């Protein structure tokens, strides 16, 4: 009745639950896991009438605050009543007797995912419109009032940047195998000492990039924003700056970026144009501290890569993988260092 690796999921028990909780669901059911490294495993639920998506916690013990699929379900469900494009969220299950872990079920949105930020699989004439579609989608999210949609308690409402800087500094400092980098120490201290005094609050996605978006197959429009695992209440410009890193990162680094590319030849808006479009859509005259937010996001990414380096070294200290990750780490430290304006320091 099923194909592929179901990872211990009892298809009969899951089908029974789906019949009871997802309107219109009808067996038989086939389960296929989506490829990729999602920290929350994601499955395609295939029936003769319709295809659904199930997003689950990973099997086995997890930390209390990790892999909170209930938060993902909640934000997607709420945003379904706004202009922000999200899949239809059908049902959440927190009963371990069904598949052994919490999960939720949502619509499988048809469309196209573009994996590279220069959109090489899109016709040149259409690329600018695809960038505009990304801009519209993120601006629409940041325009949603958390109080109005019932997400006032979705996260703390103040000090977001301070908390994030402390979190990623600790994450970097507690991994002894990967070692300490003097420039990372200086960056962490500089960020903590220079947090802008503009504590805006909005719903933030936390990982907004082209490969977390489903585009309509026949037009330049975002059909759904995916992967809400990192969503919370936070600073909208920090969220926007993460997305904007595509302009500051060179091709071939952690999924690649646009730095050094001929954007005019590619028919891709430059960074100033892209920022201007976001500002118009969110009612801003400009973004005074954008450079800080970009520097923070590059530091955060460096801290993540630092952790990957530590795990690689613990697995095999002489592996080529560890050397490869170490080179990527140096690149992100260089980028963060430059964005923070610390090039004159040694």
């Amino acid at each position: 009745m099923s194909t592929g690796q179901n990872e211990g999921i009892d298809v009969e028990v899951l089908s029974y639950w789906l019949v009871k909780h997802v309107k219109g669901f009808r067996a038989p059911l086939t389960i296929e896991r989506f490829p990729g490294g999602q920290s929350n495993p994601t499955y395609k639920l295939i029936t003769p009438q319709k295809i659904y998506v199930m997003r689950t916690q990973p099997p086995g013990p997890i930390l209390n605050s990790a892999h909170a699929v209930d938060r993902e379900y909640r934000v997607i469900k709420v945003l379904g009543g706004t202009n922000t494009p999200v899949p239809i969220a059908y049902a959440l299950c927190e009963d371990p007797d069904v598949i052994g872990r919490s999960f939720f079920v949502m619509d499988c949105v048809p469309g196209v995912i573009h994996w590279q930020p220069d959109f090489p699989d899109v016709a040149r004439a259409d690329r600018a419109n695809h960038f505009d579609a990304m801009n519209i989608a993120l601006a629409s999210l940041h325009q949603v009032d958390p109080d109005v949609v019932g997400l006032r308690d979705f996260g703390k409402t103040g000090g977001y940047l301070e908390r994030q800087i402390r979190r990623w500094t600790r994450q970097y400092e507690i991994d002894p195998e990967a070692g300490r980098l003097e420039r990372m120490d200086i960056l962490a201290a500089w960020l903590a000492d220079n947090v802008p005094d503009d504590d805006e609050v909005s719903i933030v996605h936390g990982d907004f990039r082209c490969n977390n978006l489903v585009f309509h197959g026949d037009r330049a429009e975002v059909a759904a924003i995916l992967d809400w695992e990192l969503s919370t209440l936070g600073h909208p410009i920090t969220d926007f700056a993460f997305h904007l890193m595509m302009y500051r990162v060179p091709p071939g680094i952690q999924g690649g970026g646009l730095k050094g590319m001929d954007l005019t030849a590619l028919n891709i808006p430059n960074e100033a144009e892209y920022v201007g479009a976001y500002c118009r859509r969110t009612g801003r005259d400009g973004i005074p501290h954008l450079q800080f937010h970009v520097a923070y996001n590059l530091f955060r990414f460096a801290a993540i890569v630092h952790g990957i380096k530590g795990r690689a070294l613990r697995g095999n200290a002489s592996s080529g993988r560890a050397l490869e990750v170490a080179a990527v780490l140096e690149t992100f430290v260089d980028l963060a260092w430059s964005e923070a304006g610390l090039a004159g320091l040694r």
Side-chain angles (χ1 to χ4, degrees):
M1 194 171 186
S2 66
T3 61
Q5 299 299 313
N6 294 337
E7 299 177 320
I9 297 173
D10 187 316
V11 177
E12 296 289 350
V13 173
L14 177 58
S15 294
Y16 180 75
W17 186 91
L18 291 167
V19 168
K20 290 180 63 177
H21 294 90
V22 177
K23 185 178 180 180
F25 179 86
R26 291 165 60 191
L29 170 65
T30 298
I31 304 176
E32 294 180 2
R33 180 165 177 175
F34 282 96
Q38 306 104 326
S39 61
N40 285 342
T42 308
Y43 302 85
K44 186 181 291 187
L45 306 181
I46 304 168
T47 74
Q49 296 78 29
K50 187 176 176 64
I51 299 175
Y52 305 85
V53 170
M54 179 175 71
R55 195 151 159 88
T56 81
Q57 293 179 320
I62 60 173
L63 297 174
N64 288 337
S65 60
H67 310 286
V69 293
D70 58 320
R71 286 177 57 84
E72 283 195 77
Y73 173 78
R74 182 184 177 194
V75 72
I76 293 171
K77 188 76 172 176
V78 164
L79 290 174
T82 72
N83 291 328
T84 302
V86 291
I88 298 171
Y90 292 114
L92 169 70
C93 177
E94 297 178 284
D95 180 356
D97 289 337
V98 179
I99 69 166
R101 55 197 193 263
S102 295
F103 67 91
F104 71 91
V105 178
M106 60 184 174
D107 204 15
C108 184
V109 179
V112 179
I113 295 177
H114 302 288
W115 293 92
Q116 294 176 258
D118 58 337
F119 288 72
D121 49 348
V122 172
R124 181 186 182 278
D126 294 332
R127 287 190 192 126
N129 290 332
H130 278 71
F131 270 70
D132 206 44
M134 290 195 295
N135 198 290
I136 290 169
L138 187 55
S140 72
L141 171 64
H142 293 162
Q143 292 294 93
V144 175
D145 186 330
D147 290 351
V148 171
V149 298
L151 288 177
R152 186 175 188 175
D153 61 343
F154 197 59
K156 296 180 180 179
T157 56
Y160 174 75
L161 271 168
E162 289 92 340
R163 290 195 306 277
Q164 291 297 305
I165 292 165
R166 286 196 300 269
R167 172 189 176 184
W168 291 108
T169 299
R170 285 196 302 268
Q171 191 86 359
Y172 152 70
E173 290 176 345
I174 63 175
D175 196 327
E177 281 86 0
R180 295 286 287 271
L181 288 76
E182 182 182 8
R183 288 189 302 161
M184 281 288 281
D185 293 336
I186 295 172
L187 278 165
W190 181 86
L191 289 166
D193 290 342
N194 290 276
V195 178
D197 186 20
D198 60 350
D199 205 13
E200 293 184 53
V201 176
S202 75
I203 304 165
V204 296
H205 181 270
D207 196 16
F208 191 92
R209 46 186 168 162
C210 64
N211 58 331
N212 278 331
L213 308 174
V214 179
F215 286 80
H216 286 283
D218 58 352
R219 60 188 185 276
E221 181 181 336
V222 175
I225 304 171
L226 306 178
D227 198 353
W228 291 85
E229 183 179 354
L230 299 178
S231 61
T232 187
L233 297 186
H235 201 303
I237 298 306
T238 306
D239 206 31
F240 178 63
F242 174 85
H243 176 51
L244 207 66
M245 282 201 310
M246 63 185 170
Y247 285 103
R248 312 289 180 105
V249 175
I253 301 295
Q254 290 291 354
L258 301 169
K259 187 176 182 179
M261 289 188 172
D262 187 340
L263 300 183
T264 301
L266 292 168
N267 191 30
I268 290 174
N270 62 40
E271 183 181 310
E273 293 167 335
Y274 199 76
V275 171
Y278 175 82
C279 287
R280 287 192 300 274
R281 291 187 169 112
T282 56
R284 301 172 185 273
D285 295 328
I287 306 177
H289 303 292
L290 179 59
Q291 201 79 356
F292 178 92
H293 293 273
V294 172
Y296 155 72
N297 273 294
L298 288 164
F299 170 80
R300 169 196 171 200
F301 219 100
I304 292 170
V305 176
H306 183 269
I308 296 170
K309 177 186 175 184
R311 291 192 292 275
L313 289 170
R314 285 189 289 276
N316 180 355
S318 63
S319 70
R321 172 64 175 158
L323 294 175
E324 175 190 339
V325 173
V328 172
L329 173 60
E330 288 293 334
T331 297
F332 273 97
V333 173
D334 287 344
L335 290 168
W337 189 262
S338 175
E339 296 295 340
L342 299 175
L345 297 180
R346 292 291 184 271

